[in-house]
Amino acid sequence: MRNRLGMNNNPTAREFERTCKRLIVHTEVGPSGSANVIALDTTSILHCSSATSNTLTHTAAGESNETVEQSVNTFEKFLEDHDYLGSQSWILTDCAEDIVAYIAGFIVKSLQRDVVCSRCKELLEGEEVLSKLQIRKTFGRLYRASNLTVLICKAGEQAVRFLKAESKLFIQNEQTLQALILNIIQELPSDVFQSFGNHVFDGEIWNNHSIELPKLILKKYINLQIYHETSKLSDVRTLRKKLTKTILFRNE
Ligand SMILES: [Zn+2]
């Protein structure tokens, strides 16, 4: 008890209560069998350990018997067989488009260091905010994604949604990710490349900034979505977090 609260020997009543509750919850103190107090049910307070779960990595490593090349081939074949961007069912709702436009602002922010070319930097950011959600959430300065960035992010979102719903194949390695990105770039609307104007002619035909910039944006966007999906899967500490807040901050 004394170790808590920064070795405070003289806690206030509220601090003492809080520390006591915390210790009881942490050690799962219960009544002994011979005592005259009986627990109403056998519910344990904490159901999970605070150690990082490695289940996902184990299953991923265990199931991947196929080589990188095989997985990329399967993935490319799957993408060839399914025309996801042309499919009507994957048109985003107004709400989803607005959220994607908001996320696009974050993509612009995170690409500031990666993009060195000044013309590309100008193309990333727009004059006005395209997302209503962003207008509502802005209290300071948030990056305004340009129409170009939002268009590319929308294509990425459609592809990720499609993969999540229709396929058990998930992006397993860097090569699969590259295959997906190339596939999305081939399907991008012509408005995207027109936005680059004369900048298309700076560099080689197949390796100029009008290809490199969409690649960078898509890579960031898809990685962000993968991170989101996996953190949803591995978030087993929700109950613990919830209980900690209830016990420590609300004194319940
Ligand atoms: Zn450029």
Side-chain angles (χ1 to χ4, degrees):
M1 185 77 82
R2 205 172 286 124
N3 279 341
R4 298 270 149 197
L5 306 162
M7 300 297 277
N8 182 4
N9 276 340
N10 191 18
T12 63
R14 178 175 272 193
E15 281 169 347
F16 183 83
E17 189 188 350
R18 204 169 67 196
T19 313
C20 195
K21 277 180 183 171
R22 192 186 167 127
L23 289 172
I24 288 171
V25 169
H26 186 70
T27 50
E28 289 202 54
V29 172
S32 83
S34 57
N36 59 356
V37 179
I38 301 167
L40 291 174
D41 55 30
T42 52
T43 314
S44 60
I45 302 170
L46 296 172
H47 303 271
C48 48
S49 112
S50 59
T52 320
S53 164
N54 288 325
T55 334
L56 281 173
T57 40
H58 284 317
T59 48
E63 286 169 8
S64 61
N65 293 327
E66 55 180 12
T67 61
V68 171
E69 203 176 324
Q70 278 170 332
S71 70
V72 173
N73 284 341
T74 325
F75 196 75
E76 278 179 341
K77 192 168 181 321
F78 178 80
L79 291 177
E80 275 171 24
D81 295 346
H82 295 78
D83 178 22
Y84 61 93
L85 291 176
S87 157
Q88 289 293 311
S89 53
W90 300 107
I91 289 177
L92 303 173
T93 60
D94 289 350
C95 176
E97 285 195 355
D98 205 75
I99 295 168
V100 172
Y102 171 67
I103 299 171
F106 171 74
I107 301 290
V108 174
K109 186 190 173 211
S110 48
L111 282 178
Q112 288 299 308
R113 276 189 191 171
D114 300 344
V115 178
V116 191
C117 170
S118 57
R119 177 79 188 110
C120 287
K121 267 191 179 172
E122 282 170 22
L123 285 166
L124 274 176
E125 242 188 307
E127 291 294 318
E128 54 187 78
V129 183
L130 297 172
S131 160
K132 292 187 185 102
L133 175 68
Q134 183 165 336
I135 295 169
R136 201 176 161 82
K137 289 193 82 166
T138 305
F139 290 107
R141 157 133 170 80
L142 286 181
Y143 282 86
R144 298 178 296 261
S146 65
N147 195 33
L148 168 85
T149 318
V150 175
L151 271 176
I152 298 170
C153 288
K154 274 182 199 168
E157 175 67 25
Q158 279 178 313
V160 170
R161 278 179 185 227
F162 168 77
L163 280 181
K164 205 173 118 188
E166 302 268 317
S167 146
K168 284 179 185 153
L169 305 165
F170 206 64
I171 298 148
Q172 294 165 341
N173 46 46
E174 185 68 24
Q175 284 85 347
T176 333
L177 179 64
Q178 291 297 339
L180 176 67
I181 290 174
L182 281 177
N183 195 279
I184 301 171
I185 287 179
Q186 283 168 11
E187 305 285 337
L188 280 178
S190 57
D191 298 4
V192 170
F193 301 105
Q194 279 166 12
S195 316
F196 282 88
N198 288 335
H199 196 41
V200 176
F201 304 116
D202 304 338
E204 295 164 38
I205 301 172
W206 293 114
N207 196 22
N208 59 42
H209 290 183
S210 70
I211 306 288
E212 291 300 314
L213 190 65
K215 266 191 200 169
L216 272 177
I217 296 173
L218 284 169
K219 194 174 175 188
K220 272 271 182 240
Y221 191 86
I222 294 170
N223 276 334
L224 190 73
Q225 293 295 349
I226 293 173
Y227 180 79
H228 175 65
E229 289 301 323
T230 42
S231 62
K232 267 201 300 191
L233 285 175
S234 59
D235 193 8
V236 288
R237 287 180 294 169
T238 320
L239 185 68
R240 187 190 175 114
K241 279 182 193 163
K242 201 171 145 192
L243 280 174
T244 310
K245 279 195 173 171
T246 315
I247 293 159
L248 293 186
F249 299 119
R250 290 171 62 191
N251 289 309
E252 283 177 10

